[in-house]
Amino acid sequence: MKICRTKKSLSALSDAWHQAGETVAIVPTMGYLHEGHLSLVRLAKKKARRVAVSVFVNPTQFGPNEDFERYPRDERHDFALLRAEGVDAVFAPAPEDMYAEDATVSLVESKLSKVLCGAFRPTHFAGVLTVVLKLFNVSRADVAVFGQKDAQQLAVIRRMVRDLDVPVEIVGAPLVREKDGLALSSRNTYLSAAERRRALSLHKALDAAEADYRAGKTDPAAATARIAKALAKSCDSVDYAEAVDADTLEPVKKLGPNTLLAVAAYVGKTRLIDNHLL
Ligand code: PAF
């Protein structure tokens, strides 16, 4: 596995692969890898001959009072996991290499990124889109894999690729959960044992709403009210519980296929998100 510390070295590697007639997939991550990330890597290996994984805690997607400084990092462990998966290259640049010190251009999406998490994290998706487009440009990837766990991120990235004709195929990968249903997230490491038990309420509330839907209940207001009520009992605060179309992120009039039930809530100081795609 090649370790690329500079944009130049990853681009050169990808160019060599393409010259040899090989396709390239990128799996963008912020490291502190878990089974969810590894499932993205495994899917990427099915989609392209070569797989590069980026490990970069992107400063521009964190708000001023968010957890950039304390975001968990363990590069050695990450690299060992990626090596074991047979990844071809890892891209782990220093922030100074990723961004020019006086960078003045960033990418703003003006609709999908304003709702759900975007309403609470107003600069987040501009940071995500900017770094993701840079990763596409630097890696020259043919395919990129993102998790359905960050359903809004996936929708916003798909929109960027559509609207800017970015020559990359976006693949969404199913959300991975612990045995008890907790959605895997690097931020779960912040949770104490007691908080972790309370965090299960996100999945449980979504599960109950999905069961109602399967039983024929299709009123989005009733579903989201039920979810919000359950979360209010176990979480310290609830940012949102919404039923939206998974592609447009617009509220649905009736629950149906492609409806995304999405939640964000705090357990202690940790902000958690989860979703079910009906
Ligand atoms: O999903 C993430 O971990 C990040 O938002 C991403 C896509 C790697 C961009 O920094």
Side-chain angles (χ1 to χ4, degrees):
M1 184 175 82
K2 284 250 165 43
I3 295 174
C4 301
R5 293 284 179 190
T6 63
K7 293 188 276 193
K8 241 179 154 170
S9 63
L10 179 64
S11 298
L13 192 58
S14 179
D15 286 346
W17 288 335
H18 280 127
Q19 270 155 27
E22 297 172 336
T23 53
V24 179
I26 178 106
V27 181
T29 82
M30 297 208 298
Y32 214 71
L33 304 177
H34 50 63
E35 268 301 312
H37 297 109
L38 300 183
S39 76
L40 307 183
V41 169
R42 289 168 201 148
L43 186 54
K45 289 190 76 168
K46 291 194 184 132
K47 297 282 172 186
R49 170 72 183 82
R50 297 288 187 176
V51 174
V53 176
S54 62
V55 173
F56 179 65
V57 184
N58 173 37
T60 65
Q61 70 189 70
F62 290 81
N65 299 315
E66 294 184 359
D67 56 343
F68 173 66
E69 298 296 341
R70 74 178 189 124
Y71 195 84
R73 293 160 170 89
D74 190 349
E75 197 178 85
R76 274 180 54 178
H77 188 237
D78 288 345
F79 290 5
L81 289 174
L82 295 176
R83 207 171 273 120
E85 291 296 326
V87 163
D88 296 284
V90 53
F91 177 50
E96 314 78 84
D97 183 65
M98 202 55 193
Y99 291 102
E101 206 184 332
D102 58 349
T104 50
V105 177
S106 78
L107 193 51
V108 175
E109 190 286 331
S110 55
K111 189 158 180 259
L112 281 65
S113 59
K114 302 297 172 205
V115 299
L116 304 176
C117 286
F120 298 88
R121 306 182 72 192
T123 57
H124 173 67
F125 288 106
V128 169
L129 286 180
T130 304
V131 81
V132 165
L133 185 60
K134 284 162 72 70
L135 289 168
F136 291 170
N137 289 338
V138 170
S139 69
R140 288 100 150 98
D142 305 288
V143 181
V145 184
F146 295 90
Q148 177 65 34
K149 160 84 192 321
D150 296 301
Q152 182 174 17
Q153 169 171 284
L154 182 57
V156 172
I157 290 169
R158 283 193 198 283
R159 184 57 65 93
M160 165 185 76
V161 165
R162 187 198 76 176
D163 287 357
L164 298 184
D165 303 300
V166 183
V168 63
E169 179 196 345
I170 302 299
V171 175
L175 197 156
V176 181
R177 298 182 182 281
E178 305 270 12
K179 273 205 186 74
D180 59 7
L182 184 68
L184 292 190
S185 164
S186 306
R187 289 190 169 98
N188 290 349
T189 185
Y190 298 149
L191 300 170
S192 68
E195 286 174 342
R196 196 192 170 290
R197 278 193 292 280
R198 291 198 285 136
L200 278 176
S201 62
L202 276 74
H203 171 61
K204 282 190 184 149
L206 289 165
D207 238 12
E210 182 162 352
D212 282 352
Y213 166 69
R214 304 269 166 232
K217 294 185 184 164
T218 57
D219 176 21
T224 52
R226 181 174 176 186
I227 297 169
K229 198 173 159 197
L231 294 183
K233 274 194 196 141
S234 314
C235 301
D236 293 293
S237 69
V238 181
D239 273 359
Y240 62 79
E242 290 197 39
V244 298
D245 177 89
D247 299 314
T248 65
L249 305 184
E250 283 170 10
V252 292
K253 295 199 171 69
K254 200 175 160 193
L255 303 182
N258 212 41
T259 294
L260 184 75
L261 295 176
V263 298
Y266 280 86
V267 175
K269 287 194 166 65
T270 306
R271 186 176 188 275
L272 298 169
I273 58 171
D274 200 346
N275 69 75
H276 278 207
L277 183 59
L278 297 183

